[in-house]
Coordinates of all heavy atoms in Angstrom, one line a residue:
M1097 N 0.8 -1.2 0.0 CA 0.0 0.0 0.0 C 0.9 1.3 0.0 O 0.6 2.2 -0.7 CB -0.9 0.0 1.2 CG -2.1 0.9 1.2 SD -3.2 0.5 -0.2 CE -4.4 1.9 -0.1
K1098 N 1.9 1.2 0.8 CA 2.8 2.4 0.9 C 3.5 2.6 -0.4 O 3.6 3.8 -0.8 CB 3.8 2.1 2.0 CG 4.1 3.4 2.9 CD 5.0 3.0 4.0 CE 4.9 4.0 5.2 NZ 5.7 3.6 6.3
K1099 N 4.0 1.6 -1.0 CA 4.7 1.7 -2.3 C 3.8 2.3 -3.4 O 4.2 3.1 -4.2 CB 5.2 0.3 -2.8 CG 6.5 -0.1 -2.2 CD 7.0 -1.4 -2.7 CE 8.3 -1.8 -2.0 NZ 8.6 -3.2 -2.3
I1100 N 2.5 1.9 -3.4 CA 1.6 2.4 -4.4 C 1.4 3.9 -4.1 O 1.4 4.7 -5.1 CB 0.2 1.7 -4.3 CG1 0.4 0.3 -4.7 CG2 -0.8 2.4 -5.1 CD1 -0.8 -0.6 -4.4
A1101 N 1.3 4.4 -2.9 CA 1.1 5.8 -2.6 C 2.3 6.6 -3.0 O 2.2 7.7 -3.6 CB 0.9 6.0 -1.1
I1102 N 3.5 6.1 -2.8 CA 4.7 6.8 -3.2 C 4.8 6.9 -4.8 O 5.1 7.9 -5.3 CB 6.0 6.1 -2.6 CG1 6.0 6.3 -1.1 CG2 7.3 6.6 -3.3 CD1 7.0 5.5 -0.4
A1103 N 4.5 5.8 -5.4 CA 4.5 5.8 -6.9 C 3.5 6.8 -7.4 O 3.8 7.5 -8.4 CB 4.2 4.4 -7.4
A1104 N 2.4 6.9 -6.8 CA 1.3 7.8 -7.3 C 1.8 9.2 -7.1 O 1.6 10.1 -7.9 CB 0.0 7.6 -6.5
L1105 N 2.5 9.5 -6.0 CA 3.0 10.8 -5.7 C 4.1 11.2 -6.7 O 4.0 12.3 -7.2 CB 3.6 10.8 -4.3 CG 4.2 12.1 -3.8 CD1 3.0 13.1 -3.6 CD2 4.9 12.0 -2.5
L1106 N 5.0 10.3 -7.0 CA 6.0 10.6 -8.0 C 5.4 10.9 -9.4 O 5.8 11.8 -10.1 CB 7.0 9.4 -8.1 CG 7.9 9.2 -6.9 CD1 8.8 8.0 -7.0 CD2 8.8 10.5 -6.7
A1107 N 4.4 10.1 -9.7 CA 3.7 10.3 -11.0 C 3.1 11.6 -11.1 O 3.2 12.3 -12.1 CB 2.7 9.2 -11.2
S1108 N 2.5 12.1 -10.0 CA 1.8 13.4 -10.0 C 2.8 14.5 -10.1 O 2.6 15.5 -10.7 CB 0.9 13.5 -8.8 OG 1.7 13.6 -7.6
V1109 N 4.0 14.3 -9.4 CA 5.0 15.4 -9.5 C 5.5 15.5 -11.0 O 5.6 16.6 -11.5 CB 6.2 15.0 -8.6 CG1 7.4 15.9 -8.9 CG2 5.8 15.2 -7.1
T1110 N 5.7 14.4 -11.6 CA 6.1 14.4 -13.0 C 5.0 15.1 -13.9 O 5.3 15.9 -14.8 CB 6.4 13.0 -13.5 OG1 7.4 12.4 -12.6 CG2 7.0 13.0 -14.9
L1111 N 3.8 14.7 -13.6 CA 2.7 15.1 -14.5 C 2.5 16.7 -14.4 O 2.3 17.3 -15.4 CB 1.4 14.4 -14.0 CG 0.2 14.4 -14.9 CD1 0.6 13.8 -16.3 CD2 -1.0 13.8 -14.3
F1112 N 2.6 17.2 -13.2 CA 2.2 18.6 -13.0 C 3.4 19.5 -13.0 O 3.3 20.7 -13.0 CB 1.4 18.8 -11.7 CG 0.1 18.1 -11.7 CD1 -0.2 17.0 -10.9 CD2 -0.9 18.5 -12.6 CE1 -1.4 16.4 -10.9 CE2 -2.1 17.9 -12.7 CZ -2.4 16.8 -11.8
G1113 N 4.7 18.9 -13.0 CA 5.8 19.8 -13.0 C 6.1 20.4 -11.7 O 5.4 20.2 -10.7
A1114 N 7.2 21.2 -11.6 CA 7.7 21.8 -10.4 C 7.1 23.2 -10.2 O 6.8 23.8 -11.2 CB 9.2 21.8 -10.4
D1115 N 6.9 23.6 -9.0 CA 6.5 24.9 -8.7 C 7.7 25.8 -8.3 O 8.5 25.3 -7.5 CB 5.4 24.9 -7.6 CG 4.9 26.3 -7.3 OD1 4.5 27.0 -8.3 OD2 4.8 26.7 -6.2
H1116 N 7.8 27.0 -8.8 CA 8.9 27.8 -8.5 C 8.4 29.1 -7.8 O 7.5 29.8 -8.4 CB 9.7 28.2 -9.8 CG 10.2 27.1 -10.6 ND1 11.4 26.5 -10.3 CD2 9.6 26.3 -11.6 CE1 11.5 25.4 -11.1 NE2 10.5 25.3 -11.9
V1117 N 8.8 29.3 -6.6 CA 8.3 30.5 -5.9 C 9.1 31.7 -6.2 O 10.4 31.7 -6.1 CB 8.3 30.2 -4.4 CG1 8.0 31.5 -3.6 CG2 7.4 29.1 -4.0
I1118 N 8.4 32.8 -6.6 CA 9.1 34.1 -6.9 C 8.6 35.0 -5.8 O 7.4 35.3 -5.8 CB 8.7 34.6 -8.3 CG1 8.8 33.6 -9.4 CG2 9.4 35.9 -8.6 CD1 10.2 33.1 -9.7
D1119 N 9.5 35.5 -5.0 CA 9.1 36.5 -4.0 C 9.1 37.9 -4.6 O 9.9 38.2 -5.5 CB 10.2 36.4 -2.9 CG 9.6 36.9 -1.6 OD1 8.4 37.1 -1.5 OD2 10.4 37.1 -0.6
Q1120 N 8.1 38.7 -4.2 CA 8.0 40.1 -4.6 C 8.3 40.9 -3.3 O 7.5 41.0 -2.4 CB 6.6 40.4 -5.1 CG 6.3 39.7 -6.4 CD 4.8 39.5 -6.5 OE1 4.2 38.9 -5.7 NE2 4.2 40.1 -7.6
K1121 N 9.6 41.4 -3.2 CA 10.0 42.0 -2.0 C 10.9 43.2 -2.3 O 11.8 43.1 -3.1 CB 10.7 41.0 -1.1 CG 10.9 41.4 0.3 CD 11.4 40.3 1.2 CE 11.4 40.6 2.6 NZ 11.9 39.5 3.5
G1122 N 10.6 44.4 -1.7 CA 11.4 45.6 -1.9 C 11.3 46.0 -3.4 O 12.3 46.4 -4.0
K1123 N 10.1 45.8 -4.0 CA 9.8 46.1 -5.4 C 10.8 45.4 -6.3 O 11.3 45.9 -7.3 CB 9.9 47.7 -5.6 CG 8.9 48.5 -4.9 CD 8.9 49.9 -5.2 CE 7.9 50.7 -4.4 NZ 8.0 52.2 -4.7
T1124 N 11.1 44.1 -5.9 CA 12.0 43.3 -6.7 C 11.4 41.9 -6.8 O 10.9 41.4 -5.8 CB 13.4 43.3 -6.1 OG1 13.9 44.6 -5.8 CG2 14.4 42.5 -7.0
F1125 N 11.6 41.3 -8.0 CA 11.3 39.9 -8.1 C 12.5 39.1 -7.6 O 13.6 39.3 -8.1 CB 11.0 39.4 -9.5 CG 9.7 39.9 -10.1 CD1 9.6 40.8 -11.1 CD2 8.5 39.5 -9.5 CE1 8.4 41.3 -11.6 CE2 7.2 39.9 -10.0 CZ 7.2 40.8 -11.1
I1126 N 12.3 38.2 -6.7 CA 13.5 37.4 -6.2 C 13.1 35.9 -6.3 O 12.2 35.4 -5.7 CB 13.7 37.7 -4.7 CG1 13.9 39.2 -4.5 CG2 14.9 36.9 -4.2 CD1 13.9 39.6 -3.0
P1127 N 13.9 35.2 -7.2 CA 15.0 35.6 -8.0 C 14.5 36.5 -9.1 O 13.3 36.5 -9.4 CB 15.6 34.3 -8.5 CG 14.5 33.4 -8.6 CD 13.6 33.7 -7.4
H1128 N 15.5 37.2 -9.8 CA 15.1 38.0 -10.9 C 15.3 37.3 -12.3 O 15.0 37.9 -13.3 CB 15.8 39.4 -10.9 CG 17.3 39.3 -11.0 ND1 17.9 39.3 -12.2 CD2 18.2 39.2 -10.0 CE1 19.2 39.2 -12.0 NE2 19.4 39.2 -10.7
E1129 N 15.9 36.1 -12.2 CA 16.0 35.3 -13.4 C 15.9 33.9 -13.0 O 16.3 33.5 -11.9 CB 17.2 35.6 -14.2 CG 18.5 35.4 -13.5 CD 19.7 35.8 -14.4 OE1 19.6 36.1 -15.6 OE2 20.8 35.9 -13.8
I1130 N 15.2 33.1 -13.8 CA 14.9 31.7 -13.5 C 14.8 30.8 -14.7 O 14.3 31.3 -15.8 CB 13.6 31.6 -12.6 CG1 13.5 30.2 -11.9 CG2 12.4 31.9 -13.4 CD1 12.5 30.2 -10.8
T1131 N 15.3 29.6 -14.6 CA 15.1 28.6 -15.7 C 14.2 27.5 -15.2 O 14.4 26.9 -14.2 CB 16.5 28.0 -16.1 OG1 17.4 29.1 -16.5 CG2 16.4 27.0 -17.2
V1132 N 13.2 27.3 -16.0 CA 12.1 26.3 -15.7 C 11.8 25.4 -16.8 O 12.4 25.6 -17.9 CB 10.8 27.1 -15.3 CG1 11.1 28.0 -14.1 CG2 10.2 27.8 -16.5
K1133 N 11.0 24.4 -16.6 CA 10.6 23.5 -17.7 C 9.1 23.8 -18.0 O 8.3 24.2 -17.2 CB 10.7 22.1 -17.2 CG 12.1 21.6 -17.1 CD 12.1 20.0 -16.9 CE 13.5 19.5 -17.1 NZ 14.3 19.5 -15.8
V1134 N 8.8 23.6 -19.3 CA 7.4 23.7 -19.7 C 6.6 22.7 -18.9 O 7.0 21.5 -18.7 CB 7.2 23.3 -21.2 CG1 5.7 23.3 -21.6 CG2 8.0 24.4 -22.0
G1135 N 5.4 23.2 -18.3 CA 4.6 22.3 -17.4 C 4.8 22.7 -16.0 O 4.1 22.3 -15.1
D1136 N 5.9 23.4 -15.7 CA 6.1 23.9 -14.3 C 5.2 25.1 -14.1 O 4.5 25.6 -15.0 CB 7.6 24.4 -14.2 CG 8.6 23.3 -14.1 OD1 8.2 22.1 -14.2 OD2 9.8 23.6 -14.0
T1137 N 5.2 25.5 -12.8 CA 4.4 26.7 -12.5 C 5.2 27.7 -11.8 O 6.2 27.4 -11.2 CB 3.2 26.3 -11.5 OG1 3.7 25.5 -10.5 CG2 2.1 25.5 -12.3
L1138 N 4.8 29.0 -11.9 CA 5.4 30.1 -11.2 C 4.4 30.6 -10.1 O 3.3 30.9 -10.5 CB 5.8 31.2 -12.1 CG 6.7 30.9 -13.3 CD1 6.7 32.1 -14.3 CD2 8.0 30.5 -12.9
T1139 N 4.9 30.6 -8.9 CA 4.0 31.1 -7.8 C 4.6 32.5 -7.3 O 5.7 32.5 -6.8 CB 3.9 30.1 -6.7 OG1 3.2 29.0 -7.1 CG2 3.1 30.7 -5.5
F1140 N 3.8 33.5 -7.5 CA 4.2 34.9 -7.1 C 3.7 35.1 -5.7 O 2.5 35.0 -5.4 CB 3.7 35.9 -8.0 CG 4.3 35.8 -9.4 CD1 3.7 35.0 -10.4 CD2 5.6 36.4 -9.7 CE1 4.3 34.9 -11.6 CE2 6.1 36.2 -11.0 CZ 5.5 35.5 -11.9
V1141 N 4.6 35.5 -4.7 CA 4.3 35.7 -3.3 C 4.6 37.2 -3.0 O 5.7 37.6 -3.1 CB 5.1 34.8 -2.4 CG1 4.7 35.1 -0.9 CG2 4.9 33.3 -2.7
N1142 N 3.6 37.9 -2.7 CA 3.8 39.3 -2.4 C 4.2 39.5 -0.9 O 3.3 39.5 0.0 CB 2.5 40.1 -2.7 CG 2.7 41.6 -2.5 OD1 3.8 42.1 -2.1 ND2 1.7 42.4 -2.8
S1143 N 5.5 39.8 -0.7 CA 6.0 40.0 0.7 C 6.1 41.4 1.1 O 6.6 41.8 2.2 CB 7.3 39.3 0.8 OG 7.2 37.9 0.7
D1144 N 5.7 42.3 0.2 CA 5.7 43.7 0.5 C 4.4 44.2 1.1 O 3.4 43.5 1.0 CB 5.9 44.5 -0.8 CG 7.4 44.7 -1.1 OD1 8.2 44.8 -0.2 OD2 7.8 44.8 -2.3
P1145 N 4.4 45.3 1.8 CA 3.1 45.8 2.4 C 2.2 46.6 1.5 O 1.4 47.3 1.9 CB 3.7 46.7 3.6 CG 5.0 47.2 3.1 CD 5.5 46.1 2.2
F1146 N 2.5 46.5 0.2 CA 1.6 47.1 -0.8 C 1.4 46.2 -2.0 O 2.1 45.2 -2.1 CB 2.3 48.4 -1.3 CG 3.8 48.4 -1.5 CD1 4.3 47.8 -2.6 CD2 4.6 48.8 -0.5 CE1 5.7 47.7 -2.8 CE2 6.0 48.7 -0.6 CZ 6.5 48.2 -1.8
A1147 N 0.5 46.6 -2.9 CA 0.1 45.7 -4.0 C 1.2 45.5 -5.0 O 1.9 46.5 -5.3 CB -1.2 46.2 -4.6
H1148 N 1.2 44.4 -5.7 CA 2.0 44.1 -6.8 C 1.2 43.5 -7.9 O 0.0 43.3 -7.8 CB 3.2 43.2 -6.5 CG 4.3 43.8 -5.8 ND1 5.1 44.8 -6.3 CD2 4.9 43.6 -4.6 CE1 6.0 45.2 -5.5 NE2 5.9 44.4 -4.4
N1149 N 1.8 43.2 -9.0 CA 1.2 42.6 -10.2 C 2.3 41.8 -10.9 O 3.5 42.0 -10.6 CB 0.7 43.7 -11.1 CG 0.4 43.1 -12.5 OD1 1.2 43.3 -13.5 ND2 -0.7 42.4 -12.7
A1150 N 2.0 40.9 -11.7 CA 2.9 40.2 -12.6 C 2.2 39.9 -13.9 O 1.1 39.3 -13.9 CB 3.5 38.9 -11.9
Y1151 N 2.9 40.2 -15.0 CA 2.3 39.9 -16.3 C 3.4 39.7 -17.3 O 4.5 40.1 -17.1 CB 1.4 41.0 -16.7 CG 2.1 42.2 -17.2 CD1 2.3 42.4 -18.6 CD2 2.6 43.2 -16.4 CE1 3.0 43.5 -19.1 CE2 3.3 44.3 -16.8 CZ 3.5 44.5 -18.2 OH 4.2 45.6 -18.6
T1152 N 3.1 39.1 -18.4 CA 4.0 39.0 -19.5 C 3.2 39.2 -20.8 O 2.0 38.8 -20.9 CB 4.8 37.7 -19.6 OG1 5.7 37.7 -20.7 CG2 3.8 36.5 -19.7
D1153 N 3.9 39.8 -21.7 CA 3.3 40.0 -23.1 C 3.7 38.9 -24.0 O 3.3 38.9 -25.2 CB 3.7 41.4 -23.7 CG 3.0 42.5 -23.0 OD1 1.9 42.4 -22.5 OD2 3.7 43.6 -22.9
D1154 N 4.5 38.0 -23.5 CA 4.9 36.8 -24.4 C 3.7 36.1 -24.9 O 2.8 35.7 -24.2 CB 5.8 35.9 -23.5 CG 6.3 34.7 -24.4 OD1 7.1 34.9 -25.2 OD2 5.8 33.6 -24.2
E1155 N 3.6 35.9 -26.2 CA 2.4 35.4 -26.8 C 2.1 34.0 -26.4 O 0.9 33.7 -26.0 CB 2.6 35.4 -28.4 CG 2.0 36.6 -29.0 CD 2.1 36.6 -30.5 OE1 2.0 35.5 -31.1 OE2 2.4 37.6 -31.1
A1156 N 3.1 33.1 -26.3 CA 2.8 31.7 -25.9 C 2.6 31.5 -24.4 O 1.9 30.6 -24.0 CB 4.0 30.9 -26.4
N1157 N 3.0 32.4 -23.6 CA 2.9 32.2 -22.1 C 2.1 33.3 -21.5 O 2.1 33.5 -20.3 CB 4.3 32.2 -21.5 CG 5.0 30.8 -21.7 OD1 4.5 29.8 -21.2 ND2 6.0 30.8 -22.5
E1158 N 1.4 34.1 -22.3 CA 0.7 35.3 -21.8 C -0.1 35.1 -20.5 O -0.9 34.1 -20.4 CB -0.2 35.8 -22.9 CG -0.7 37.2 -22.6 CD -1.6 37.8 -23.7 OE1 -1.9 37.0 -24.6 OE2 -1.9 39.0 -23.7
F1159 N 0.1 35.9 -19.5 CA -0.7 35.9 -18.3 C -0.7 37.3 -17.7 O 0.2 38.1 -18.0 CB -0.2 34.8 -17.3 CG 1.1 35.1 -16.7 CD1 1.4 35.9 -15.7 CD2 2.2 34.3 -17.2 CE1 2.6 36.1 -15.1 CE2 3.5 34.5 -16.7 CZ 3.7 35.4 -15.7
D1160 N -1.6 37.6 -16.8 CA -1.7 38.8 -16.0 C -2.4 38.4 -14.7 O -3.6 38.1 -14.8 CB -2.4 39.9 -16.8 CG -2.3 41.2 -16.1 OD1 -2.1 41.2 -14.8 OD2 -2.5 42.3 -16.7
I1161 N -1.7 38.5 -13.6 CA -2.3 38.0 -12.4 C -3.2 39.1 -11.7 O -3.8 38.9 -10.7 CB -1.3 37.5 -11.3 CG1 -0.4 38.6 -10.9 CG2 -0.5 36.3 -11.9 CD1 0.6 38.2 -9.7
G1162 N -3.2 40.3 -12.4 CA -4.1 41.4 -11.8 C -3.5 42.0 -10.6 O -2.3 41.8 -10.3
M1163 N -4.3 42.7 -9.8 CA -3.8 43.3 -8.6 C -3.6 42.3 -7.5 O -4.5 41.5 -7.2 CB -4.9 44.3 -8.1 CG -4.5 45.1 -6.9 SD -3.3 46.5 -7.4 CE -4.5 47.7 -7.9
Q1164 N -2.4 42.2 -7.0 CA -2.1 41.2 -6.0 C -1.8 41.9 -4.7 O -0.9 42.6 -4.4 CB -0.8 40.4 -6.4 CG -0.5 39.3 -5.5 CD 0.7 38.5 -5.9 OE1 1.5 38.9 -6.7 NE2 0.9 37.4 -5.2
A1165 N -2.7 41.6 -3.7 CA -2.7 42.2 -2.4 C -1.5 41.7 -1.6 O -1.0 40.6 -1.8 CB -4.0 41.9 -1.7
P1166 N -1.0 42.5 -0.6 CA 0.1 42.1 0.3 C -0.3 40.7 0.9 O -1.4 40.5 1.3 CB 0.2 43.2 1.3 CG -0.4 44.4 0.6 CD -1.5 43.9 -0.3
G1167 N 0.7 39.9 1.0 CA 0.5 38.6 1.8 C -0.1 37.5 1.0 O -0.3 36.4 1.5
T1168 N -0.5 37.8 -0.3 CA -1.2 36.8 -1.1 C -0.2 36.1 -2.1 O 0.8 36.7 -2.4 CB -2.4 37.4 -1.9 OG1 -1.9 38.4 -2.7 CG2 -3.4 38.0 -0.9
K1169 N -0.6 35.0 -2.6 CA 0.2 34.3 -3.6 C -0.7 33.9 -4.8 O -1.9 33.6 -4.6 CB 0.9 33.1 -3.1 CG 0.0 32.1 -2.4 CD 0.9 30.8 -2.0 CE 1.6 31.1 -0.7 NZ 2.3 29.8 -0.2
K1170 N -0.1 33.9 -6.0 CA -0.9 33.6 -7.2 C 0.0 32.7 -8.1 O 1.2 33.0 -8.2 CB -1.3 34.8 -8.0 CG -2.4 35.6 -7.3 CD -3.1 36.6 -8.1 CE -4.2 37.3 -7.3 NZ -4.8 38.4 -8.1
T1171 N -0.5 31.7 -8.7 CA 0.2 30.7 -9.5 C -0.2 30.7 -10.9 O -1.4 30.7 -11.2 CB 0.0 29.3 -8.9 OG1 0.5 29.3 -7.5 CG2 0.8 28.2 -9.6
V1172 N 0.8 30.7 -11.8 CA 0.5 30.6 -13.2 C 1.3 29.5 -13.9 O 2.4 29.2 -13.4 CB 0.8 31.9 -14.0 CG1 0.0 33.1 -13.5 CG2 2.3 32.3 -13.8
P1173 N 0.8 28.8 -14.9 CA 1.5 27.8 -15.6 C 2.5 28.3 -16.6 O 2.3 29.4 -17.2 CB 0.4 27.0 -16.3 CG -0.6 28.0 -16.6 CD -0.6 29.0 -15.5
V1174 N 3.6 27.6 -16.8 CA 4.5 27.8 -17.9 C 4.1 26.9 -19.1 O 4.2 25.7 -19.0 CB 6.0 27.6 -17.5 CG1 6.9 27.8 -18.7 CG2 6.4 28.5 -16.4
K1175 N 3.6 27.5 -20.2 CA 2.9 26.8 -21.2 C 3.8 26.4 -22.4 O 3.5 25.5 -23.1 CB 1.7 27.5 -21.7 CG 0.6 27.6 -20.6 CD -0.6 28.5 -21.0 CE -0.3 29.9 -20.8 NZ -1.5 30.8 -21.0
A1176 N 4.8 27.2 -22.6 CA 5.6 27.0 -23.9 C 7.1 27.4 -23.7 O 7.4 28.2 -22.8 CB 5.1 27.9 -25.0
A1177 N 8.0 26.7 -24.4 CA 9.4 27.0 -24.3 C 9.8 28.3 -24.9 O 9.1 28.9 -25.8 CB 10.2 25.9 -25.1
G1178 N 10.8 28.9 -24.4 CA 11.3 30.2 -24.9 C 11.7 31.1 -23.7 O 11.7 30.7 -22.6
K1179 N 12.2 32.3 -24.1 CA 12.6 33.3 -23.1 C 11.6 34.4 -23.0 O 11.1 34.8 -24.1 CB 14.0 33.9 -23.4 CG 15.1 32.9 -23.2 CD 16.5 33.6 -23.3 CE 17.6 32.7 -22.9 NZ 18.8 33.4 -22.7
F1180 N 11.2 34.8 -21.9 CA 10.2 35.9 -21.8 C 10.4 36.7 -20.5 O 10.9 36.2 -19.5 CB 8.8 35.4 -21.9 CG 8.3 34.4 -20.9 CD1 7.6 34.8 -19.8 CD2 8.5 33.1 -21.1 CE1 7.2 33.9 -18.8 CE2 8.1 32.1 -20.2 CZ 7.4 32.6 -19.0
D1181 N 10.0 37.9 -20.5 CA 10.1 38.8 -19.4 C 8.8 38.9 -18.7 O 7.7 38.9 -19.3 CB 10.5 40.3 -19.8 CG 11.9 40.3 -20.4 OD1 12.7 39.4 -20.1 OD2 12.2 41.3 -21.0
V1182 N 8.9 38.9 -17.3 CA 7.7 39.2 -16.5 C 7.9 40.5 -15.8 O 9.0 40.8 -15.3 CB 7.5 38.1 -15.5 CG1 6.3 38.4 -14.5 CG2 7.3 36.7 -16.1
E1183 N 6.9 41.4 -15.9 CA 7.0 42.7 -15.3 C 5.8 42.9 -14.3 O 4.8 42.2 -14.3 CB 7.0 43.8 -16.4 CG 8.2 43.7 -17.3 CD 8.1 44.6 -18.5 OE1 8.3 45.8 -18.3 OE2 7.7 44.1 -19.6
C1184 N 5.9 44.0 -13.5 CA 4.9 44.4 -12.6 C 4.2 45.7 -13.2 O 5.0 46.7 -13.4 CB 5.4 44.7 -11.2 SG 4.2 45.4 -10.1
A1185 N 2.9 45.7 -13.4 CA 2.3 46.8 -14.0 C 2.3 48.1 -13.1 O 2.1 49.2 -13.6 CB 0.8 46.5 -14.4
I1186 N 2.5 47.8 -11.8 CA 2.5 48.9 -10.8 C 3.9 49.5 -10.7 O 4.1 50.7 -10.5 CB 2.0 48.4 -9.5 CG1 0.6 47.9 -9.7 CG2 2.0 49.6 -8.4 CD1 0.1 47.0 -8.5
H1187 N 4.9 48.7 -10.7 CA 6.3 49.1 -10.6 C 7.1 48.7 -11.8 O 7.6 47.6 -11.9 CB 6.9 48.5 -9.3 CG 6.1 48.7 -8.1 ND1 5.4 47.7 -7.5 CD2 5.9 49.8 -7.3 CE1 4.7 48.1 -6.5 NE2 5.0 49.4 -6.3
P1188 N 7.2 49.7 -12.8 CA 7.9 49.4 -14.1 C 9.3 48.9 -14.0 O 9.8 48.3 -14.9 CB 7.8 50.7 -14.8 CG 6.7 51.5 -14.1 CD 6.8 51.1 -12.7
N1189 N 10.0 49.1 -12.9 CA 11.4 48.7 -12.8 C 11.5 47.2 -12.4 O 12.6 46.6 -12.4 CB 12.1 49.5 -11.8 CG 12.4 50.9 -12.3 OD1 12.4 51.2 -13.5 ND2 12.5 51.9 -11.4
M1190 N 10.4 46.6 -12.0 CA 10.5 45.2 -11.6 C 10.6 44.3 -12.8 O 9.8 44.4 -13.7 CB 9.2 44.8 -10.7 CG 9.2 45.4 -9.4 SD 7.7 45.0 -8.5 CE 7.9 43.3 -8.1
L1191 N 11.5 43.4 -12.8 CA 11.8 42.5 -14.0 C 12.2 41.1 -13.6 O 13.1 40.9 -12.8 CB 12.8 43.1 -14.9 CG 13.2 42.3 -16.1 CD1 12.1 42.2 -17.1 CD2 14.4 42.9 -16.8
L1192 N 11.5 40.1 -14.1 CA 11.9 38.7 -14.0 C 12.1 38.1 -15.4 O 11.2 38.2 -16.2 CB 10.7 38.0 -13.3 CG 10.8 36.4 -13.3 CD1 12.0 35.9 -12.5 CD2 9.5 35.8 -12.8
E1193 N 13.3 37.6 -15.6 CA 13.6 37.0 -16.9 C 13.4 35.4 -16.7 O 14.1 34.8 -15.9 CB 15.0 37.3 -17.3 CG 15.2 38.8 -17.5 CD 16.6 39.2 -17.8 OE1 17.4 39.0 -17.0 OE2 16.8 39.7 -19.0
V1194 N 12.5 34.9 -17.5 CA 12.2 33.5 -17.4 C 12.7 32.8 -18.7 O 12.5 33.2 -19.8 CB 10.7 33.2 -17.3 CG1 10.4 31.7 -17.2 CG2 10.1 33.9 -16.1
T1195 N 13.5 31.7 -18.5 CA 13.9 30.8 -19.6 C 13.1 29.5 -19.4 O 13.3 28.8 -18.3 CB 15.4 30.5 -19.6 OG1 16.1 31.8 -19.7 CG2 15.8 29.7 -20.8
A1196 N 12.3 29.1 -20.3 CA 11.5 27.9 -20.3 C 12.0 26.9 -21.3 O 12.1 27.2 -22.5 CB 10.0 28.1 -20.5
N1197 N 12.4 25.7 -20.8 CA 12.9 24.6 -21.7 C 11.9 23.5 -21.9 O 11.1 23.3 -21.1 CB 14.2 24.1 -21.2 CG 15.3 25.1 -21.1 OD1 15.5 25.8 -22.1 ND2 16.0 25.2 -20.0
Ligands
CU1246 CU1 5.2 45.7 -8.1

């Protein structure tokens, strides 16, 4: 029974990919560059006491998490291979460079 549970867990990890936590702190994405695999997810965690946002204009991976309140987290999937920038609509200097393989 235990072996079956572990096998199922491993299968689900492979199926859904890894989750990568991106902290939003001091008006900075931490880390500010990351390499991921298609099928992984990016989870944005707002650790600042004010709102943030994260979006990309990349055609294949397009997302916009909208207004993200302090202390909240939002997760988006990485859908296609390539390099793309993620920015914050509220703080134009915030930049995350994603490489998806
Ligand atoms: Cu911001």
